[in-house]
Short mmCIF file of all heavy atoms in Angstrom, two decimals:
data_model
loop_
_atom_site.label_atom_id
_atom_site.label_comp_id
_atom_site.label_asym_id
_atom_site.label_seq_id
_atom_site.Cartn_x
_atom_site.Cartn_y
_atom_site.Cartn_z
N ASP A 1 -28.59 38.21 -83.10
CA ASP A 1 -27.94 38.93 -82.01
C ASP A 1 -28.96 39.42 -80.98
O ASP A 1 -28.71 39.37 -79.76
CB ASP A 1 -27.15 40.12 -82.56
CG ASP A 1 -25.96 39.68 -83.41
OD1 ASP A 1 -25.54 38.51 -83.27
OD2 ASP A 1 -25.47 40.49 -84.23
N THR A 2 -30.11 39.87 -81.45
CA THR A 2 -31.15 40.32 -80.53
C THR A 2 -31.66 39.17 -79.67
O THR A 2 -31.89 39.32 -78.46
CB THR A 2 -32.32 40.95 -81.31
OG1 THR A 2 -31.83 42.05 -82.08
CG2 THR A 2 -33.40 41.45 -80.36
N GLN A 3 -31.84 38.00 -80.27
CA GLN A 3 -32.31 36.84 -79.51
C GLN A 3 -31.29 36.39 -78.48
O GLN A 3 -31.65 35.90 -77.40
CB GLN A 3 -32.65 35.69 -80.46
CG GLN A 3 -33.76 35.99 -81.44
CD GLN A 3 -35.05 36.39 -80.76
OE1 GLN A 3 -35.48 35.74 -79.80
NE2 GLN A 3 -35.67 37.45 -81.22
N ARG A 4 -30.02 36.55 -78.80
CA ARG A 4 -28.99 36.18 -77.84
C ARG A 4 -28.92 37.16 -76.68
O ARG A 4 -28.75 36.76 -75.52
CB ARG A 4 -27.63 36.11 -78.54
CG ARG A 4 -27.47 34.94 -79.49
CD ARG A 4 -26.22 35.10 -80.32
NE ARG A 4 -25.98 33.94 -81.19
CZ ARG A 4 -25.08 33.93 -82.16
NH1 ARG A 4 -24.32 35.00 -82.38
NH2 ARG A 4 -24.93 32.85 -82.91
N GLU A 5 -29.04 38.44 -77.01
CA GLU A 5 -28.91 39.46 -75.96
C GLU A 5 -30.19 39.62 -75.14
O GLU A 5 -30.11 39.92 -73.95
CB GLU A 5 -28.56 40.80 -76.61
CG GLU A 5 -27.21 40.80 -77.32
CD GLU A 5 -26.98 42.06 -78.10
OE1 GLU A 5 -27.88 42.94 -78.12
OE2 GLU A 5 -25.90 42.18 -78.73
N GLN A 6 -31.34 39.41 -75.76
CA GLN A 6 -32.62 39.59 -75.08
C GLN A 6 -33.49 38.36 -75.28
O GLN A 6 -34.46 38.38 -76.05
CB GLN A 6 -33.33 40.84 -75.59
CG GLN A 6 -32.53 42.11 -75.42
CD GLN A 6 -33.22 43.32 -76.03
OE1 GLN A 6 -34.30 43.23 -76.57
NE2 GLN A 6 -32.57 44.47 -75.93
N PRO A 7 -33.16 37.25 -74.63
CA PRO A 7 -33.96 36.03 -74.81
C PRO A 7 -35.35 36.19 -74.21
O PRO A 7 -35.55 36.95 -73.25
CB PRO A 7 -33.14 34.96 -74.08
CG PRO A 7 -32.36 35.72 -73.05
CD PRO A 7 -32.06 37.06 -73.67
N ALA A 8 -36.32 35.49 -74.79
CA ALA A 8 -37.68 35.52 -74.27
C ALA A 8 -37.72 34.86 -72.90
O ALA A 8 -37.24 33.73 -72.74
CB ALA A 8 -38.62 34.81 -75.24
N PRO A 9 -38.28 35.52 -71.88
CA PRO A 9 -38.27 34.95 -70.53
C PRO A 9 -39.10 33.68 -70.40
O PRO A 9 -38.82 32.84 -69.53
CB PRO A 9 -38.83 36.09 -69.67
CG PRO A 9 -39.62 36.93 -70.62
CD PRO A 9 -38.92 36.84 -71.94
N TRP A 10 -40.13 33.53 -71.25
CA TRP A 10 -41.00 32.36 -71.13
C TRP A 10 -40.44 31.14 -71.83
O TRP A 10 -40.94 30.03 -71.64
CB TRP A 10 -42.38 32.67 -71.72
CG TRP A 10 -42.30 33.15 -73.15
CD1 TRP A 10 -42.20 34.43 -73.58
CD2 TRP A 10 -42.29 32.33 -74.32
NE1 TRP A 10 -42.13 34.49 -74.95
CE2 TRP A 10 -42.18 33.20 -75.44
CE3 TRP A 10 -42.36 30.96 -74.54
CZ2 TRP A 10 -42.14 32.74 -76.73
CZ3 TRP A 10 -42.32 30.50 -75.84
CH2 TRP A 10 -42.21 31.38 -76.92
N MET A 11 -39.38 31.30 -72.61
CA MET A 11 -38.85 30.20 -73.43
C MET A 11 -37.87 29.37 -72.62
O MET A 11 -36.98 29.90 -71.95
CB MET A 11 -38.16 30.77 -74.67
CG MET A 11 -37.74 29.71 -75.69
SD MET A 11 -36.97 30.45 -77.15
CE MET A 11 -38.37 31.37 -77.82
N ALA A 12 -38.05 28.05 -72.67
CA ALA A 12 -37.14 27.14 -71.99
C ALA A 12 -35.78 27.15 -72.67
O ALA A 12 -35.65 27.50 -73.84
CB ALA A 12 -37.73 25.73 -71.97
N GLN A 13 -34.75 26.75 -71.92
CA GLN A 13 -33.39 26.79 -72.45
C GLN A 13 -33.23 25.84 -73.63
O GLN A 13 -32.61 26.20 -74.64
CB GLN A 13 -32.40 26.42 -71.35
CG GLN A 13 -30.94 26.51 -71.76
CD GLN A 13 -30.53 27.92 -72.11
OE1 GLN A 13 -30.99 28.88 -71.48
NE2 GLN A 13 -29.67 28.08 -73.11
N ALA A 14 -33.81 24.66 -73.56
CA ALA A 14 -33.70 23.71 -74.67
C ALA A 14 -34.41 24.26 -75.92
O ALA A 14 -33.89 24.14 -77.03
CB ALA A 14 -34.30 22.36 -74.27
N GLU A 15 -35.56 24.87 -75.74
CA GLU A 15 -36.28 25.46 -76.87
C GLU A 15 -35.50 26.62 -77.46
O GLU A 15 -35.45 26.80 -78.69
CB GLU A 15 -37.65 25.91 -76.40
CG GLU A 15 -38.53 26.47 -77.51
CD GLU A 15 -39.89 26.89 -76.99
OE1 GLU A 15 -40.20 26.59 -75.82
OE2 GLU A 15 -40.64 27.54 -77.76
N ARG A 16 -34.90 27.42 -76.58
CA ARG A 16 -34.11 28.56 -77.06
C ARG A 16 -32.88 28.08 -77.82
O ARG A 16 -32.55 28.64 -78.88
CB ARG A 16 -33.69 29.42 -75.87
CG ARG A 16 -32.82 30.61 -76.22
CD ARG A 16 -32.63 31.52 -75.02
NE ARG A 16 -31.69 32.58 -75.31
CZ ARG A 16 -30.38 32.51 -75.06
NH1 ARG A 16 -29.88 31.42 -74.49
NH2 ARG A 16 -29.58 33.50 -75.37
N ASP A 17 -32.21 27.06 -77.33
CA ASP A 17 -31.03 26.54 -78.04
C ASP A 17 -31.42 25.97 -79.41
O ASP A 17 -30.70 26.15 -80.40
CB ASP A 17 -30.36 25.45 -77.20
CG ASP A 17 -29.72 26.00 -75.93
OD1 ASP A 17 -29.48 27.22 -75.88
OD2 ASP A 17 -29.48 25.21 -75.00
N SER A 18 -32.56 25.29 -79.47
CA SER A 18 -33.03 24.76 -80.76
C SER A 18 -33.33 25.88 -81.74
O SER A 18 -33.00 25.78 -82.93
CB SER A 18 -34.26 23.89 -80.53
OG SER A 18 -34.79 23.43 -81.75
N MET A 19 -33.95 26.95 -81.25
CA MET A 19 -34.27 28.08 -82.13
C MET A 19 -33.01 28.75 -82.64
O MET A 19 -32.90 29.08 -83.82
CB MET A 19 -35.14 29.08 -81.37
CG MET A 19 -35.56 30.29 -82.21
SD MET A 19 -36.27 31.60 -81.20
CE MET A 19 -34.83 32.10 -80.24
N LEU A 20 -32.02 28.96 -81.75
CA LEU A 20 -30.77 29.59 -82.18
C LEU A 20 -30.02 28.71 -83.18
O LEU A 20 -29.42 29.22 -84.13
CB LEU A 20 -29.90 29.88 -80.96
CG LEU A 20 -30.44 30.92 -79.97
CD1 LEU A 20 -29.48 31.09 -78.80
CD2 LEU A 20 -30.66 32.26 -80.65
N ALA A 21 -30.06 27.40 -82.96
CA ALA A 21 -29.40 26.49 -83.91
C ALA A 21 -30.07 26.56 -85.28
O ALA A 21 -29.40 26.56 -86.32
CB ALA A 21 -29.43 25.07 -83.37
N ARG A 22 -31.40 26.63 -85.30
CA ARG A 22 -32.10 26.74 -86.58
C ARG A 22 -31.79 28.07 -87.25
O ARG A 22 -31.63 28.14 -88.48
CB ARG A 22 -33.60 26.60 -86.35
CG ARG A 22 -34.41 26.46 -87.64
CD ARG A 22 -35.89 26.32 -87.32
NE ARG A 22 -36.18 25.09 -86.62
CZ ARG A 22 -36.41 23.94 -87.21
NH1 ARG A 22 -36.40 23.87 -88.55
NH2 ARG A 22 -36.68 22.85 -86.52
N ALA A 23 -31.68 29.14 -86.46
CA ALA A 23 -31.35 30.45 -87.02
C ALA A 23 -29.94 30.46 -87.60
O ALA A 23 -29.69 31.03 -88.67
CB ALA A 23 -31.50 31.54 -85.96
N ARG A 24 -29.01 29.84 -86.89
CA ARG A 24 -27.64 29.76 -87.42
C ARG A 24 -27.60 28.94 -88.71
O ARG A 24 -26.81 29.22 -89.61
CB ARG A 24 -26.71 29.17 -86.37
CG ARG A 24 -26.40 30.11 -85.21
CD ARG A 24 -25.25 29.56 -84.36
NE ARG A 24 -25.59 28.29 -83.74
CZ ARG A 24 -26.12 28.17 -82.53
NH1 ARG A 24 -26.38 29.26 -81.81
NH2 ARG A 24 -26.39 26.99 -82.01
N ASP A 25 -28.43 27.91 -88.78
CA ASP A 25 -28.49 27.08 -89.99
C ASP A 25 -29.00 27.91 -91.17
O ASP A 25 -28.46 27.81 -92.28
CB ASP A 25 -29.40 25.88 -89.75
CG ASP A 25 -29.43 24.94 -90.95
OD1 ASP A 25 -28.39 24.34 -91.26
OD2 ASP A 25 -30.50 24.82 -91.58
N VAL A 26 -30.03 28.72 -90.95
CA VAL A 26 -30.53 29.59 -92.01
C VAL A 26 -29.45 30.58 -92.45
O VAL A 26 -29.23 30.79 -93.65
CB VAL A 26 -31.79 30.34 -91.54
CG1 VAL A 26 -32.22 31.38 -92.57
CG2 VAL A 26 -32.93 29.37 -91.28
N SER A 27 -28.77 31.18 -91.47
CA SER A 27 -27.71 32.14 -91.81
C SER A 27 -26.58 31.46 -92.56
O SER A 27 -26.02 32.04 -93.51
CB SER A 27 -27.20 32.78 -90.52
OG SER A 27 -26.18 33.71 -90.80
N GLU A 28 -26.25 30.22 -92.18
CA GLU A 28 -25.17 29.51 -92.86
C GLU A 28 -25.55 29.19 -94.30
O GLU A 28 -24.72 29.27 -95.22
CB GLU A 28 -24.86 28.23 -92.08
CG GLU A 28 -23.60 27.50 -92.57
CD GLU A 28 -23.92 26.43 -93.61
OE1 GLU A 28 -25.09 25.99 -93.64
OE2 GLU A 28 -23.03 26.07 -94.38
N HIS A 29 -26.82 28.86 -94.55
CA HIS A 29 -27.28 28.60 -95.91
C HIS A 29 -27.19 29.87 -96.76
O HIS A 29 -26.81 29.82 -97.94
CB HIS A 29 -28.71 28.07 -95.89
CG HIS A 29 -28.80 26.65 -95.43
ND1 HIS A 29 -29.99 25.96 -95.35
CD2 HIS A 29 -27.85 25.78 -95.01
CE1 HIS A 29 -29.77 24.73 -94.93
NE2 HIS A 29 -28.47 24.60 -94.70
#
């Protein structure tokens, strides 16, 4: 939730989407 609400300004959108997808995968496991 913190990463969604306060994304890192230096992170590209594709990199951010990949990180969130990996985080959701960990949470789903």
Side-chain angles (χ1 to χ4, degrees):
D1 293 341
T2 301
Q3 298 302 314
R4 289 170 176 169
E5 297 172 359
Q6 301 176 1
W10 55 269
M11 188 178 295
Q13 184 64 36
E15 184 180 351
R16 178 171 174 267
D17 292 341
S18 176
M19 181 192 66
L20 294 179
R22 190 180 294 274
R24 287 192 297 268
D25 184 66
V26 173
S27 180
E28 189 267 338
H29 286 181

